[in-house]
Amino acid sequence: MEQKLKELERKALEEVRAASDLKELNQVRVSYLGKKGPITEVLRGMGKLSAEERPKMGALGNMIRETITKAIENKNVELENEAVAKKLEAETIDVTLPGRSVATGNRHPLTKIIEEIEDLFIGMGYKIAEGPEVEQDYYNFEALNFPKGHPSRDMQDSFYITEEILMRTHTSPVQARTMKKHEGKGPVKIICPGKVYRRDNDDATHSHQFMQIEGLVVDENITMGDLKGTLEVFAKKIFGADREIRLRPSFFPFTEPSVEMDISCKICHGEGCRVCKQTGWIEVLGAGMVHPNVLEMAGFDSKKYTGFAFGMGPDRIAMLKYGIEDIRYFYTNDIRFLKQFAVQE
Ligand code: 2U9
């Protein structure tokens, strides 16, 4: 019996040593120390032993059980430590690795240019005014000195909803509405950005929907000098301090006199080159003194009040500033085009 017990001890200790994880170790514990295990089985035969041998074998059995229990406990600690070490190793984080960059978007080039222009005029005391894109014929044309049936209407064909309702062809109706709200009292000093619509065939320089920013100042003693000074500040801020401006006579129904503003060509500085079509100048915007008819229709006394107005297309401004060749790039949302404006965000 002694031999059988010692043999069991040897085998059990060997199996404990060989256990590679906690599950296997538990199996060893159950198979050797359980109630139906081989040690109990061997000790059951003690009845056949002499009275002298019996307590000896009982004590040996208990000692072996204890030895195996201790060995299992030690192995348990060893395996647990191993498992923790393995887990720690697997989960090690290299804090020196560079982080993954978060993909961010950027403002649309038109939004950028519009916000830049807005900031400039806000700095000069202007307020931003907005209005509906679906507009009444009255505010889009009539109030701006385009009478019904007048040839001046031919310059701006629109998309009509009904005979009297259309997609606005410019942001000028916002100025007309704002002036009316002032009930004949100045000053009015506003900047009106927004989308406008024209019945045009799309090509590199035309789009049936584009952006406009128009400005309007109405007060006593406003002169053409105020207009010229304002436009000069605008041109130098947006295109660079080294650019010159010039005003050429023009015609708009809502202004009299009307002008167009050019800036000196940045490539040839006025000498004449391919970019400026040999003129030395590049056309940027239109402007003028508010027509007395427009002042009167909006409820202002044209003997007491004068005003200036200007209008520009941010699409054209952005094309000139960033050297963009085709207006359609703004509206087709090719990510490769848009991503180029992510700098300085
Ligand atoms: C009111 C009175 C006057 C706004 C003006 C222009 C000249 C002009 C065009 C430039 C290019 C628009 O984007 S574009 O096609 N605009 O040339 N706009 S003066 O004059 C106004 C507006 C409203 C009540």
Side-chain angles (χ1 to χ4, degrees):
M1 181 172 287
E2 187 177 340
Q3 234 175 13
K4 271 189 188 163
L5 286 173
K6 289 218 162 132
E7 176 60 16
L8 277 175
E9 181 186 25
R10 192 190 60 73
K11 267 175 69 184
L13 291 178
E14 197 180 301
E15 281 180 43
V16 167
R17 215 175 301 120
S20 59
D21 58 27
L22 293 167
K23 204 172 151 205
E24 263 180 57
L25 187 65
N26 195 42
Q27 271 164 6
V28 177
R29 187 180 62 77
V30 172
S31 67
Y32 284 93
L33 302 178
K35 277 198 181 115
K36 290 179 187 149
I39 299 175
T40 317
E41 192 63 41
V42 173
L43 291 176
R44 223 173 254 146
M46 279 201 309
K48 291 181 195 142
L49 298 178
S50 67
E52 202 183 308
E53 282 283 293
R54 221 175 289 153
K56 273 194 201 160
M57 285 307 120
L60 180 64
N62 286 340
M63 214 176 74
I64 288 173
R65 268 214 183 91
E66 224 167 274
T67 309
I68 297 172
T69 306
K70 271 258 153 61
I72 289 175
E73 273 170 12
N74 291 342
K75 185 73 181 181
N76 204 53
V77 172
E78 191 185 304
L79 286 174
E80 264 175 3
N81 287 346
E82 247 174 50
V84 170
K86 243 190 217 162
K87 201 162 179 234
L88 279 176
E89 200 182 338
E91 291 175 5
T92 303
I93 298 167
D94 182 352
V95 291
T96 65
L97 275 176
R100 283 193 201 117
S101 56
V102 180
T104 52
N106 59 275
R107 285 178 302 159
H108 191 280
L110 289 176
T111 310
K112 264 179 97 156
I113 203 91
I114 289 169
E115 287 178 359
E116 197 179 331
I117 296 169
E118 281 174 359
D119 285 351
L120 166 64
F121 282 102
I122 287 168
M124 294 200 281
Y126 288 68
K127 293 262 178 300
I128 294 185
E130 285 178 322
E133 288 174 26
V134 180
E135 187 51 281
Q136 295 171 30
D137 179 277
Y138 175 77
Y139 286 111
N140 194 81
F141 288 131
E142 206 103 348
L144 294 162
N145 209 25
F146 294 76
K148 275 210 162 86
H150 194 275
S152 58
R153 287 205 178 198
D154 296 349
M155 297 191 299
Q156 300 185 15
D157 197 4
S158 178
F159 299 103
Y160 282 83
I161 313 291
T162 68
E163 190 104 345
E164 292 299 326
I165 310 272
L166 67 155
M167 302 306 290
R168 67 182 182 193
T169 56
H170 43 188
T171 52
S172 312
V174 182
Q175 284 105 295
R177 285 171 175 275
T178 309
M179 281 171 80
K180 207 166 168 207
K181 267 198 225 141
H182 273 72
E183 296 180 327
K185 279 193 220 68
V188 179
K189 201 169 178 187
I190 52 168
I191 196 97
C192 307
K195 290 194 199 90
V196 301
Y197 303 82
R198 298 223 182 143
R199 197 174 172 281
D200 255 335
N201 288 322
D202 293 359
D203 63 23
T205 53
H206 295 87
S207 171
H208 61 280
Q209 181 248 293
F210 59 102
M211 299 291 179
Q212 257 193 3
I213 295 190
E214 291 193 327
L216 173 73
V217 176
V218 176
D219 205 353
E220 292 177 39
N221 303 316
I222 297 293
T223 70
M224 194 103 180
D226 297 317
L227 170 63
K228 192 175 177 197
T230 304
L231 295 182
E232 194 157 4
V233 169
F234 161 79
K236 289 190 183 284
K237 175 77 197 325
I238 299 297
F239 295 104
D242 58 336
R243 309 297 278 275
E244 299 298 323
I245 69 161
R246 77 171 183 187
L247 302 181
R248 279 181 290 108
S250 186
F251 169 79
F252 303 109
F254 30 65
T255 47
E256 183 59 36
S258 303
V259 294
E260 261 166 274
M261 182 186 87
D262 299 335
I263 52 168
S264 55
C265 176
K266 92 168 162 197
I267 308 292
C268 65
H269 300 285
E271 291 296 306
C273 69
R274 213 162 51 88
V275 171
C276 58
K277 299 192 189 98
Q278 309 304 330
T279 64
W281 297 93
I282 292 169
E283 186 185 321
V284 170
L285 54 75
M289 300 306 290
V290 180
H291 197 294
N293 287 356
V294 174
L295 288 170
E296 294 289 340
M297 272 189 281
F300 279 76
D301 179 354
S302 64
K303 299 233 165 41
K304 187 173 169 200
Y305 284 102
T306 51
F308 69 73
F310 55 87
M312 67 187 98
D315 305 68
R316 180 165 168 77
I317 306 289
M319 286 167 86
L320 291 174
K321 190 173 158 100
Y322 302 126
I324 298 162
E325 286 163 356
D326 195 316
I327 194 171
R328 290 168 292 194
Y329 283 133
F330 292 127
Y331 302 107
T332 40
N333 289 330
D334 184 330
I335 210 87
R336 293 166 301 178
F337 169 74
L338 298 173
K339 263 201 326 215
Q340 296 175 65
F341 299 90
V343 283
Q344 298 156 6
E345 276 292 317

